[in-house]
Amino acid sequence: MEEPNKFWKSVAKELHFEKWSDKGLEYNFDHQKGEVFVKFMEGAKTNMAYNCLERNIQKGLGSKIAYIWEGNEPGDQMTITYQELLEQVSKFAEVLRTKGVKKGDVVAIYLPMTIELPIAMLACARIGAIHSVVFAGFSSDALANRIHQAKAKILITADGFYRGHKAIDLKTLADKAFSICHDQGHDIDSVIMVEHLKRIRTPQGAIPPEVKINKKTDSLWNKEMEAASSKNLQTSKIEWNDSEDPLFILYTSGSTGTPKGLVHTTTGYMTYAYEAAKKIFDSKPDDVFWCTADIGWITGHTFGVYGALLNGMTSMLFEGVPNYPDASRMWQLVEKYKVSKLYTSPTAVRSLMDCPTEMVTDYSRDTLKILGVVGEPINRPAWRWLHKVVGGEKCAIVDTYWQTETGGPMLTPLPGATPTKPGSATMPFFGVDPVLVDDQGVAKKGQIDGNLCFARAWPGMARTIWGDHARFIKTYFSTFPGLYFTGDGARRDQDSYYWVGGRVDDKLNVSGHLLSTSEIECVLTHHPTVQEAAVVAAPHPSKGQVPYAFVVLKQSRTLTADLIHEIKQEVRNKIGPFAAPEVVHGACGLPKTRSGKITRRILRIIAEGDHKANLGDTSTLIDEQVIAHLWETRPDVQ
Ligand code: PRX
């Protein structure tokens, strides 16, 4: 694209600006030439919530359904129109103001997939507060860490919810997070709790969580909303934010263990999310869009909330899991709600493709037009199954490659326009300039394998890491000066198609959830019995990758089944259930070079169980015997 700036400003023209700015993208990626920064349309004034709600209502979409909510139990359902959503958002914006939340304050949101989640996000956007949504599958420690790092003023949470048969005690987890925050010297002003349990059905055999209310800090969502209603307000006052005012913080795993709070700002992110949802899902007025990603992840932010609403779409919000009550749930919902655009993950596809085909074909999928995937590489059999069985060979498949940091897709086919190849995210999105470089940072042309970087800024990219711009520069701009480095390896083929292979750093991708190995190692080495630990990624048939932990125990300790359970539980509690190691391998030592560096390459081969693999040069190891011992003690799957 010759003139990305002109293009992106023409996209922005389709949105509402209270004050326009002729400035386009301004940026510097080269830290050797000065401060790294990115700006888009600096000086313009707009509001994300206004663009999602009033702008669409003025176009006559007031009575259109914005969200269809389906609960964990089949039959638990509701809908909300754009007009109703505006009323709820306006009221909640007033609630936040009454609680003392001002422009620039951080509001932590720890909610299941209920309608209050987008309401709370939009209410923050409306008053210029910054939301920090924490995925409701995260532990108390992870929540506390995120609240503390962002100095969140208040927390929005719920009493609890169910995932399949499992009850999740959300309020208890939030309470624990508070006491952790309190110990760290950061107290939250107030908590607003949604009473969700009493309006949903309890799955058979599940025990509803017991909920404690702290009179000093806690208040109820409904009571607060009633109080706001009594003020008889029509719509609450809008804060016209500057283009570069932060819209939200979203945390992603960091290599050093502490998560990174990526900051997305207003106009650039809004313009990118709008255009991405419009073009990649070919948004049409009668669409029913279902983005299955939890709103707690970037896909849910960009597509489940902002991209969908900016385009005036009807979208689905599903609180349950794809295999409850059985593995046909997704296809039942596609039929029931006449879903036309489905955006899901390779993990979900892989976990459902092993079920009998009738579980899919018994339900009508005639309305489906586009099937999107994101989060991890999709293997060819999964791609083909999605295309053939789910899409009946008549749907476009869009494999979209992007990151929390990028705000929206970077490599993606455009449905109907880009010929696809199973497993390739194909070509760059508008104005995106991918570069593959070797380990020395030399850009390579033509057919090549390399480190995936981007040479030019795009409006939707994160601007910084909350409170730590130096870390932002170090993580993304220092490996290859002048380029944004994704951390992924990729191949470009003879047709200039990109094939993203996976992380070339110490991250692992479990079911599309990015984790850092050091984050898990940190938890393991804090366990009183563990002397040393190393975590590597091992392949898994449905989850893509899983953590495989090597642990060296302190003298006189033995790795019993109970201890393995306890160690896994510790990771569950400290990070979240998805981070728990699949295997805990008791080791007498770890292979290390004389300089003390753990040779992870060898650990990866052992975790994969690939006896035939070439271990490479092992002569630099302090103790070569360790390798034989690790092979001998390699456990069968636990
Ligand atoms: O490794 C890439 C993988 O997911 C990482 C980003 O994870 P996260 O920030 O959690 O955002 C996920 C949702 C946008 C990337 O660095 N990834 C994402 N999409 C793909 C992918 N790998 C291969 N193909 C994809 N389509």
Side-chain angles (χ1 to χ4, degrees):
M1 179 178 284
E2 289 300 306
E3 290 187 81
N5 240 335
K6 212 165 145 190
F7 170 78
W8 285 114
K9 278 200 289 183
S10 74
V11 174
K13 279 244 154 72
E14 295 171 30
L15 299 165
H16 174 86
F17 284 84
E18 194 65 6
K19 183 178 159 224
W20 181 256
S21 160
D22 268 327
K23 288 188 175 175
L25 263 170
E26 298 167 278
Y27 68 98
N28 172 38
F29 275 8
D30 192 345
H31 66 95
Q32 294 160 343
K33 290 190 185 147
E35 189 69 40
V36 169
F37 72 93
V38 181
K39 294 176 193 168
F40 179 63
M41 286 180 60
E42 197 190 19
K45 298 263 182 213
T46 186
N47 184 286
M48 175 63 113
Y50 182 92
N51 272 288
C52 289
L53 302 171
E54 276 100 328
R55 194 181 117 268
N56 283 319
I57 293 166
Q58 282 155 17
K59 287 201 279 184
L61 300 186
S63 56
K64 183 172 178 175
I65 291 171
Y67 281 111
I68 300 165
W69 172 82
E70 165 96 7
N72 182 59
E73 286 301 296
D76 270 355
Q77 62 194 66
M78 59 82 78
T79 56
I80 185 165
T81 65
Y82 273 85
Q83 182 62 43
E84 289 162 345
L85 190 57
L86 171 62
E87 284 157 20
Q88 298 289 314
V89 169
S90 289
K91 273 190 217 165
F92 198 64
E94 282 315 300
V95 172
L96 290 176
R97 282 194 173 115
T98 317
K99 293 273 170 195
V101 179
K102 298 180 300 301
K103 181 178 163 119
D105 285 341
V106 177
V107 174
I109 304 176
Y110 187 52
L111 282 173
M113 288 283 277
T114 60
I115 194 64
E116 286 79 9
L117 180 44
I119 292 173
M121 291 163 76
L122 290 160
C124 289
R126 194 171 186 90
I127 66 168
I130 305 164
H131 59 72
S132 169
V133 179
V134 181
F135 170 52
F138 271 123
S139 64
S140 315
D141 282 79
L143 173 64
N145 198 315
R146 284 154 177 75
I147 292 175
H148 182 60
Q149 270 197 48
K151 300 275 173 293
K153 210 174 156 84
I154 77 166
L155 176 82
I156 323 292
T157 190
D159 43 8
F161 65 106
Y162 303 99
R163 283 180 71 74
H165 287 289
K166 198 167 167 229
I168 316 283
D169 237 344
L170 205 63
K171 179 62 167 48
T172 310
L173 290 167
D175 286 344
K176 269 197 209 144
F178 279 165
S179 60
I180 300 170
C181 283
H182 177 75
D183 295 344
Q184 292 171 340
H186 173 74
D187 281 313
I188 278 250
D189 293 355
S190 46
V191 181
I192 301 176
M193 187 190 86
V194 176
E195 289 177 291
H196 185 48
L197 292 166
K198 65 180 188 192
R199 63 182 180 188
I200 54 172
R201 279 179 280 168
T202 311
Q204 230 182 3
I207 301 167
E210 265 180 47
V211 181
K212 281 204 200 91
I213 302 288
N214 179 347
K215 287 218 171 86
K216 248 167 67 197
T217 48
D218 302 355
S219 62
L220 301 178
W221 175 287
N222 275 350
K223 289 256 163 65
E224 296 288 350
M225 291 292 261
E226 272 165 31
S229 311
S230 65
K231 290 186 187 166
N232 252 341
L233 80 165
Q234 292 297 311
T235 53
S236 65
K237 191 179 149 270
I238 291 159
E239 187 72 46
W240 296 109
N241 295 312
D242 190 274
S243 284
E244 288 304 328
D245 281 342
L247 176 68
F248 66 86
I249 305 172
L250 191 59
Y251 282 86
T252 185
S253 290
S255 298
T256 55
T258 39
K260 303 176 297 230
L262 272 317
V263 179
H264 283 280
T265 55
T266 306
T267 299
Y269 175 81
M270 176 169 80
T271 310
Y272 207 73
Y274 167 68
E275 183 68 0
K278 183 174 175 183
K279 294 288 162 59
I280 299 170
F281 286 95
D282 188 26
S283 154
K284 293 277 185 290
D286 54 355
D287 271 336
V288 176
F289 179 52
W290 183 13
C291 170
T292 67
D294 194 286
I295 291 175
W297 304 106
I298 191 69
T299 311
H301 276 54
T302 303
F303 286 90
V305 181
Y306 293 123
L309 295 176
L310 286 167
N311 281 285
M313 290 167 118
T314 295
S315 36
M316 262 187 68
L317 204 58
F318 175 45
E319 196 181 324
V321 288
N323 58 0
Y324 176 82
D326 64 44
S328 64
R329 184 77 185 274
M330 258 175 90
W331 320 117
Q332 286 176 24
L333 295 179
V334 166
E335 178 183 272
K336 180 174 174 190
Y337 295 116
K338 300 188 170 40
V339 174
S340 56
K341 314 281 162 79
L342 177 71
Y343 197 17
T344 190
S345 67
T347 289
V349 175
R350 284 193 296 264
S351 71
L352 296 173
M353 68 189 271
D354 290 335
C355 306
T357 308
E358 306 78 73
M359 299 212 88
V360 183
T361 52
D362 279 354
Y363 301 92
S364 167
R365 287 125 28 251
D366 286 349
T367 48
L368 284 175
K369 292 196 174 68
I370 296 174
L371 303 170
V373 282
V374 60
E376 54 191 309
I378 183 161
N379 48 332
R380 281 171 209 219
W383 195 103
R384 293 215 172 91
W385 181 82
L386 187 65
H387 185 242
K388 194 163 172 233
V389 178
V390 177
E393 295 183 337
K394 64 172 186 50
C395 293
I397 308 280
V398 288
D399 175 0
T400 62
Y401 163 83
W402 55 297
Q403 308 179 297
T404 306
E405 294 82 344
T406 68
M410 301 299 283
L411 302 171
T412 176
L414 294 179
T418 317
T420 47
K421 298 187 188 189
S424 166
T426 76
M427 307 262 194
F429 192 52
F430 304 129
V432 170
D433 189 5
V435 183
L436 295 181
V437 300
D438 65 15
D439 289 346
Q440 280 64 50
V442 179
K444 300 284 180 183
K445 292 221 177 319
Q447 237 174 297
I448 190 82
D449 261 309
N451 299 296
L452 178 62
C453 299
F454 296 108
R456 187 161 55 195
W458 60 100
M461 71 183 292
R463 305 305 198 238
T464 190
I465 291 174
W466 186 254
D468 200 348
H469 196 58
R471 189 176 180 199
F472 183 67
I473 298 168
K474 185 164 181 286
T475 312
Y476 305 106
F477 299 94
S478 67
T479 320
F480 305 115
L483 298 172
Y484 167 88
F485 176 41
T486 60
D488 285 305
R491 181 164 66 81
R492 188 169 44 223
D493 71 12
Q494 68 281 12
D495 302 320
S496 299
Y497 275 49
Y498 288 85
W499 301 74
V500 179
R503 307 293 305 185
V504 291
D505 53 14
D506 66 348
K507 304 274 169 50
L508 73 160
N509 196 325
V510 184
S511 306
H513 300 160
L514 210 56
L515 290 162
S516 90
T517 51
S518 63
E519 190 180 3
I520 306 172
E521 283 163 9
C522 194
V523 177
L524 297 177
T525 48
H526 272 88
H527 192 275
T529 63
V530 176
Q531 185 185 318
E532 212 180 0
V535 174
V536 294
H540 187 275
S542 66
K543 297 179 187 171
Q545 294 183 320
V546 283
Y548 185 115
F550 293 86
V551 293
V552 181
L553 295 184
K554 287 186 180 154
Q555 260 183 359
S556 78
R557 303 305 296 243
T558 11
L559 192 65
T560 58
D562 282 350
L563 185 54
I564 291 174
H565 178 76
E566 195 184 309
I567 288 174
K568 289 184 179 180
Q569 197 55 40
E570 189 69 5
V571 180
R572 262 188 206 110
N573 294 344
K574 289 273 171 353
I575 305 175
F578 51 90
E582 188 84 358
V583 178
V584 177
H585 183 159
C588 67
L590 298 174
K592 282 186 191 163
T593 60
R594 283 173 214 284
S595 59
K597 208 166 173 271
I598 297 172
T599 41
R600 289 171 187 274
R601 170 176 50 85
I602 294 174
L603 293 180
R604 270 194 290 271
I605 291 171
I606 294 168
E608 282 167 20
D610 186 357
H611 287 269
K612 292 201 189 106
N614 178 5
L615 292 181
D617 180 13
T618 55
S619 63
T620 56
L621 298 183
I622 308 174
D623 178 8
E624 277 189 83
Q625 299 300 317
V626 151
I627 302 175
H629 186 266
L630 287 175
W631 277 122
E632 274 163 31
T633 52
R634 188 179 184 278
D636 293 332
V637 176
Q638 284 161 7

